[in-house]
Amino acid sequence: MRHTIAVLLENKPGALTRVTSMFARRGYNIESLAVGPTERHDVSRITLRVDAEEHSLEQIEKQMHKLVNVLRVQELVPGEAIERELALLKVSAPPSARAELMALGEVFGAKIADLGPDSIVFELVGSAEDVDSFEELVRPHGLQELVRTGRIGLARARSGSGRSRPKVLV
Amino acid sequence: MRHTIAVLLENKPGALTRVTSMFARRGYNIESLAVGPTERHDVSRITLRVDAEEHSLEQIEKQMHKLVNVLRVQELVPGEAIERELALLKVSAPPSARAELMALGEVFGAKIADLGPDSIVFELVGSAEDVDSFEELVRPHGLQELVRTGRIGLARARSGSGRSRPKVLV
């Protein structure tokens, strides 16, 4: 089963490697990972997606929390978190295919980031499933390049209810 | 000087760690990193941002290319590549501040991903500089949480001219 995990860690050289190498040592493949700055300048946030059984995941998360520089580990539970992903897709687009591609883009709310004589670069933000669907639709036109950030996520703003907080694991 | 580097690598456990640990060993801090699937199911793409001198960077890149599973290393040169970043920002927003925050969001083309009684979650796509500016503007309202994907990038669609290809390093 796939899980999305958010890790807050001190912004130090080697901190990211300690987290990823724990997965590597155990033979887990990280499907996507995004790390970037947070609201605190000395803290980074990793959001990663991994395929693991529930019990293996708990072990990994406990181990992760013991690592130097790791401050918090949290699972983002689908439906209780806002999850988004950004993708850039460069698609073959001779003038004859342009209108059809632009119409597909419009359905998904994709922006045109660049337009060349033979190709279009789409910028798409959505759930991972939205990105998958759009990718599938444009692939027959010739998908030249695809870059995805991997999903990032936050607890919902409606956290007043108390029900919608993400599960803090360790 | 900050550089954005795109690395294509085989989608194998440990491949990501080998790349990040090379930076860690040399004491370089990776400012942001995004890794996700590409147009080929067996290949992942890392886009990372690092602060390094030109000559150190060349060394790192040569070393990186020798790593198992690494297929291509490319620097994304500003202006010659499309670079985008996605950020989610949860900002304190009592009803009295809501209108002002929404107006700020509109200026930056930020979408409202969630709205609660006391906070707003904005979804913003743009250059890293756009995200920085928006962050600075909403910070006085109370920035509760910020997640950024780190930038991803692609060569422009206008590559027919030959001038606009990113620099292939190794």
Side-chain angles (χ1 to χ4, degrees), chain A residues 11 17 20 29 32-35 39 45 82 84 90 114 123 125 139 145-147 154-158, chain B residues 11 17 20 29 32-33 35 39 45 82 84 90 114 123 125 139 145-147 154-158:
Chain A
N11 191 11
T17 298
T20 61
N29 194 13
S32 76
L33 179 146
V35 56
E39 69 281 4
R45 184 178 170 125
I82 296 152
R84 293 286 189 282
K90 189 191 276 186
D114 202 27
E123 166 197 318
V125 177
R139 196 177 273 280
E145 273 189 283
L146 166 67
V147 202
L154 270 191
R156 290 198 171 277
R158 305 183 188 99
Chain B
N11 190 11
T17 298
T20 60
N29 194 14
S32 77
L33 179 146
V35 56
E39 67 281 6
R45 183 177 171 125
I82 295 151
R84 293 284 189 283
K90 189 191 276 186
D114 202 28
E123 166 197 316
V125 177
R139 195 176 273 281
E145 273 188 283
L146 166 67
V147 203
L154 270 190
R156 289 199 170 276
R158 307 182 188 101

Side-chain angles (χ1 to χ4, degrees), chain B residues 110-128:
Chain B
K111 281 189 189 167
I112 293 173
D114 202 28
L115 182 61
D118 306 308
S119 59
I120 298 180
V121 178
F122 287 106
E123 166 197 316
L124 176 64
V125 177
S127 68

Side-chain angles (χ1 to χ4, degrees), chain A residues 87-139:
Chain A
L88 294 172
L89 305 96
K90 189 191 276 186
V91 186
S92 298
S96 61
R98 226 178 259 164
E100 191 193 331
L101 278 166
M102 284 177 171
L104 286 178
E106 212 162 298
V107 173
F108 280 79
K111 281 189 189 166
I112 294 173
D114 202 27
L115 182 61
D118 307 307
S119 59
I120 297 179
V121 177
F122 287 106
E123 166 197 318
L124 176 65
V125 177
S127 68
E129 293 71 25
D130 292 337
V131 178
D132 288 343
S133 305
F134 189 63
E135 181 190 339
E136 207 176 304
L137 277 171
V138 298
R139 196 177 273 280

Side-chain angles (χ1 to χ4, degrees), chain B residues 42-68:
Chain B
D42 54 342
V43 173
S44 293
R45 183 177 171 125
I46 301 177
T47 315
L48 61 86
R49 184 101 174 132
V50 72
D51 192 358
E53 297 302 319
E54 199 68 45
H55 66 276
S56 321
L57 191 76
E58 278 170 28
Q59 286 305 314
I60 293 173
E61 281 156 350
K62 276 179 193 154
Q63 294 282 333
M64 220 173 353
H65 205 253
K66 286 183 198 158
L67 294 176
V68 181

Side-chain angles (χ1 to χ4, degrees), chain A residues 44-119:
Chain A
S44 294
R45 184 178 170 125
I46 301 177
T47 315
L48 61 86
R49 185 104 174 129
V50 72
D51 192 357
E53 297 302 321
E54 197 68 46
H55 67 276
S56 321
L57 190 76
E58 278 171 28
Q59 286 304 313
I60 292 171
E61 282 157 349
K62 275 179 194 157
Q63 294 282 332
M64 218 171 354
H65 204 252
K66 284 183 200 160
L67 295 175
V68 181
N69 305 132
V70 168
L71 303 172
R72 200 177 65 178
V73 182
Q74 192 177 48
E75 184 175 355
L76 296 176
V77 181
E80 296 186 2
I82 296 152
E83 293 191 308
R84 293 286 189 282
E85 187 170 357
L86 166 67
L88 294 172
L89 305 96
K90 189 191 276 186
V91 186
S92 298
S96 61
R98 226 178 259 164
E100 191 193 331
L101 278 166
M102 284 177 171
L104 286 178
E106 212 162 298
V107 173
F108 280 79
K111 281 189 189 166
I112 294 173
D114 202 27
L115 182 61
D118 307 307
S119 59

